[in-house]
Amino acid sequence: MELIKLIFLDIDGVLNSETFYKNKSENELFKEEGYPLCEIDPEAIEKINNIIRQTNAKVVISSSWRLGRTIEYLQDIFNKKGFIGTIDDITPHLRYIGNDNTVPRGCEIETYLNDNFEYDIKTNIKYVIIDDDIDMLLYQKDHFLHTTEYDGITDVIVTKAIDLLNQ
């Protein structure tokens, strides 16, 4: 059975950061790109590319950027920023419930895995979740790589992602 490797990828706080925005404000090239291209750090894309090169993982977008956008549109944005991989899918958006309570992103990832893979196939899945939010499920903690809004994806997280996906 084929081993499946997935990167559940957030965008804000991962592919952009306070550091990126500070540098962007000082760089004329970024000012010409326009929205939404100007919101994605090409250095962060290169870090994701490095994970893909070393693991052959596919990307599943778990970011709120998936809402109202197609996979093809997201792929095009990423490609324009130098992305070498494939955006394989997006996680489902589970609706808000009750009094402003939200469904944790970890539940959306769990639903994606349950909807797309049979139990016996799940044993052949390696995945990482790269996100600046912490609303993951307890059993996902070994797959979760927490970024910060300040730094976004770092070389340390890239190394951990590669190690987890290649175990």
Side-chain angles (χ1 to χ4, degrees):
M1 208 174 281
E2 176 187 356
L3 183 63
I4 299 166
K5 297 180 181 183
L6 300 172
I7 302 166
F8 288 96
L9 184 63
D10 184 30
I11 295 175
D12 292 323
V14 177
L15 300 184
N16 57 42
S17 62
E18 290 177 28
T19 303
F20 164 67
Y21 286 119
K22 180 184 179 297
N23 294 337
K24 181 175 101 166
S25 69
E26 299 166 3
N27 186 328
E28 292 297 317
L29 290 175
F30 288 120
K31 294 177 183 175
E32 299 170 7
E33 283 187 313
Y35 184 84
L37 288 174
C38 66
E39 298 295 314
I40 297 179
D41 181 355
E43 291 179 17
I45 287 287
E46 185 51 38
K47 286 177 171 55
I48 298 296
N49 287 345
N50 190 18
I51 297 169
I52 291 167
R53 276 189 208 96
Q54 295 193 47
T55 66
N56 293 315
K58 301 250 192 283
V59 171
V60 176
I61 301 294
S62 55
S63 168
S64 61
W65 279 52
R66 74 195 189 282
L67 306 177
R69 294 183 170 116
T70 65
I71 294 168
E72 295 78 19
Y73 179 80
L74 293 168
Q75 182 77 52
D76 185 55
I77 292 169
F78 277 44
N79 289 350
K80 287 177 179 171
K81 296 302 280 195
F83 184 61
I84 63 164
T86 300
I87 296 177
D88 202 50
D89 210 342
I90 58 175
T91 55
H93 178 231
L94 303 178
R95 303 284 177 225
Y96 291 96
I97 54 175
N99 302 317
D100 293 328
N101 294 322
T102 60
V103 175
R105 186 160 290 170
C107 289
E108 294 174 333
I109 291 168
E110 179 181 51
T111 299
Y112 175 86
L113 290 169
N114 288 337
D115 288 352
N116 288 281
F117 302 102
E118 299 293 328
Y119 177 78
D120 59 331
I121 294 175
K122 279 192 218 172
T123 59
N124 289 325
I125 295 176
K126 299 236 181 214
Y127 69 92
V128 294
I129 303 165
I130 305 175
D131 204 313
D132 66 320
D133 288 331
I134 59 169
D135 56 342
M136 304 307 148
L137 302 179
L138 185 59
Y139 81 86
Q140 295 169 336
K141 69 179 173 51
D142 293 336
H143 303 271
F144 177 51
L145 301 172
H146 188 221
T147 64
T148 68
E149 286 181 3
Y150 183 76
D151 290 318
I153 189 168
T154 63
D155 290 333
V156 170
I157 289 172
V158 169
T159 300
K160 287 179 181 177
I162 291 167
D163 289 347
L164 285 169
L165 290 167
N166 283 339
Q167 278 182 350

